């Protein structure tokens, strides 16, 4: 046995992670259900480092140093269970199974529990950065026992992306925490993409700019506080021209957004946790709605807002307003993601270091951005930080954005341009800062039809009003 790590599942992700380990000096055992992928890896990339190809699971396990470290990179879902069932009987107490696939965190919790009973460590690990990230340095979010991280952590940190000399990998917490955090990363990614898309739409439809001009605007923004991978690739996509037609690429692509489901998981889970992730939810629903062609056809003949052309000066100032609105909405969307991680950490006892999550997302992953260093710093300055808006600089920035943010959302409504994520972010902001919410009326309605009781602002206890009686007497219900 000579391999420090084994990778089974050698499609794009597994192959590139295996190469990444090998390029970093590790001896890597490689295995795939169908041997063709293993052979192809050795043939094409065998020269990059020390690989030990294995045809059978037995051969694969025998190639691993103890405690064995076995990384599964197969299709998420039942395939993961099949692979675990196949390999677990070949392992010994203290060995580690690492699942780097996009598993649902509840599945990871279940698998971890079952394997722990057999004395095995199960390390559910979020991996972000796609194919390129896997090869050159992804952001890695391992869950599982502290004991397993002590052995595995240094290896994962070594192959991860690095920013300012720090690895984009940290021990997130026990059992499903790594996959949970990866899920929220993707939820935030949905929100960020939708916000950027809305900014583009407004600049085009209200501002009257061409995709090429908007690409330039995004390039400029990318040199400022919005500097991020997603803004960078947005500029590239907007600047691209279709070779066949000579038209802007965005105009020849069908406007129906797909998804692989992590946004949906985030929203479903947020409802269970009671985390108000409205910008993430709107972003997810916006993708869903874009694909509902029959509904869109039914709505299409109906009137929209009033379009008015902007003067060049107005268009320029509108662009500045959109930047402010985008930045303010981004703060809210990220704050929602962090709230959800905090909520889950409390619910599942994960003790997640919220600043460390920001630190490991600064590089390697899709939402990587300068902005994340600000979030890291905010948590470093105040480890008990309840919200990004409790930090002075974020509070000041969102204060400065007020007029622009509101003008953009109001303008979008007037023009009839959908801005669901901008609107949801602003509504979330106004909800959470509101001294009085109409929730008091909701409590009244609930008490009226369902005797659900309410709390008074001026006295302790639960109360119910007997609405059916003419005098509407109030009774205390908790005594
Ligand atoms: P795929 O999700 O396309 O999965 C293909 C691999 O799974 C092949 O190696 C295949 O083996 C194996 N496999 C499928 N079913 C079984 C089974 N029942 N038993 C054994 N092996 C099986 O590969 P990717 O590389 O795209 O992704 C791997 C994992 O990483 C997935 O969970 C994915 O969600 C996750 N991920 C992907 C990212 C990406 O950008 N693609 C980013 C981050 C995570 P065979 O060759 O024999 O068919």
């Amino acid at each position: 046995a000579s391999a420090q790590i084994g990778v089974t599942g050698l499609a794009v992700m597994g192959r590139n992670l295996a190469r990444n380990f090998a390029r970093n000096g590790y001896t890597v055992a490689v295995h795939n259900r169908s041997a063709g992928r293993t052979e192809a890896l050795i043939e094409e990339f065998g020269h990059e480092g020390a690989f030990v190809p294995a045809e059978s699971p037995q051969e694969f396990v025998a190639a691993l140093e103890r405690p064995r470290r076995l990384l599964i990179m197969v299709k998420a879902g039942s395939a993961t269970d099949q692979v675990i069932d196949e390999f677990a009987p070949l392992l010994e107490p203290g060995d580690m199974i690492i699942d780097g696939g996009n598993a649902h965190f509840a599945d990871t919790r279940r698998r971890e529990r079952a394997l722990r009973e057999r004395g095995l460590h199960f390390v559910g690990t979020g991996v972000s950065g796609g194919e390129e990230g896997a090869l050159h340095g992804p952001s890695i979010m391992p869950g599982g026992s502290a004991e397993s991280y002590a052995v595995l952590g240094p290896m994962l940190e070594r192959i991860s992306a690095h920013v300012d000399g720090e690895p984009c990998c940290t021990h997130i917490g026990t059992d499903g925490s790594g996959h949970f955090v990866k899920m929220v990363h993707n939820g935030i990614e949905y929100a960020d993409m939708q916000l950027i898309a809305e900014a583009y739409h407004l600049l085009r439809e209200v501002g009257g700019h061409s995709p090429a001009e908007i690409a330039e605007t995004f390039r400029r923004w990318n040199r400022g506080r919005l500097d991020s991978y997603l803004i960078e690739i947005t500029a590239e996509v907007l600047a691209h021209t279709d070779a066949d037609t000579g038209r802007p690429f965005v105009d020849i692509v069908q406007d129906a957004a797909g998804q692989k489901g992590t946004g949906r998981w985030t929203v479903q889970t947020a409802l269970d946790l009671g985390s108000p992730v409205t910008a993430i939810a709107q972003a997810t629903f916006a993708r869903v709605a874009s694909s509902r062609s029959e509904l869109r056809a039914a709505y299409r003949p109906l009137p929209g807002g009033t379009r008015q052309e902007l003067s060049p000066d107005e268009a320029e100032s509108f662009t500045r307003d959109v930047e402010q609105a985008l930045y303010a909405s981004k703060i809210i969307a990220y704050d929602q993601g962090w709230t959800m991680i905090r909520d889950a950490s409390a619910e599942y006892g994960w003790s997640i270091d919220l600043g460390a999550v920001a630190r490991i997302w600064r590089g390697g992953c899709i939402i990587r951005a300068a902005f994340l260093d600000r979030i890291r710093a905010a948590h470093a300055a105040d480890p008990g930080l309840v919200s990004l808006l409790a930090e002075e600089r974020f509070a000041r920035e969102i204060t400065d954005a007020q007029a622009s943010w509101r003008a953009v959302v109001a303008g979008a409504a007037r023009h009839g341009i959908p801005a669901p994520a901008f609107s949801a972010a602003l509504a979330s902001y106004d909800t959470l800062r509101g001294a009085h919410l109409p929730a008091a009326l909701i409590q009244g309605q609930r008490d009226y039809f369902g005797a659900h009781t309410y709390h008074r602002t001026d006295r302790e206890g639960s109360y119910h009003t007997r609405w059916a009686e003419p005098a509407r007497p109030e009774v205390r219900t908790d005594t």
Side-chain angles (χ1 to χ4, degrees), residues 139-204:
S139 176
I140 309 180
M141 296 148 254
S145 65
E147 202 183 330
S148 59
Y149 194 81
V151 178
L152 204 55
M155 298 179 70
L156 296 178
E157 289 180 11
R158 190 140 148 203
I159 68 152
S160 75
H162 284 70
V163 174
D164 299 337
E166 289 178 290
C168 293
C169 171
T170 193
H171 182 222
I172 303 292
T174 51
D175 60 75
S177 61
H179 278 133
F180 182 91
V181 162
K182 166 70 201 289
M183 174 185 78
V184 177
H185 165 282
N186 287 23
I188 294 173
E189 174 187 309
Y190 275 48
D192 211 339
M193 291 169 70
Q194 176 67 24
L195 289 169
I196 292 170
E198 290 176 17
Y200 149 73
H201 200 192
L202 288 162
L203 292 174
R204 187 146 188 206

Side-chain angles (χ1 to χ4, degrees), residues 52 123 146 149 233 279 341 455:
V52 184
V123 183
Y149 194 81
I233 66 164
I341 295 173
H455 294 288

Side-chain angles (χ1 to χ4, degrees), residues 188 191-192 195-196 225-226 276-280 322-340 342 367 369-372 374-375 378-379 385-402 405 421-422 424-426 428-429 432:
I188 294 173
D192 211 339
L195 289 169
I196 292 170
R225 59 187 180 171
L226 283 166
V277 298
T278 52
I280 296 171
V322 172
E323 194 270 348
Q324 290 275 6
L326 177 55
Y327 189 72
S329 302
K330 175 168 169 145
I331 294 175
I332 299 295
Y334 280 64
D335 200 36
Q336 293 183 347
W338 256 265
T339 296
M340 184 167 173
R342 184 185 299 103
I367 64 168
F371 183 73
L372 285 156
R374 293 275 315 281
I375 300 182
H379 283 283
L385 197 72
V386 170
S387 158
L388 292 181
L389 295 188
E391 192 243 19
E392 208 189 315
R393 243 178 92 188
F394 282 121
R396 190 164 3 102
E397 286 172 329
I398 216 140
T399 304
D400 292 345
Q402 289 295 305
W405 195 12
F422 276 11
L426 180 57
S428 172
Y429 171 78
L432 294 177

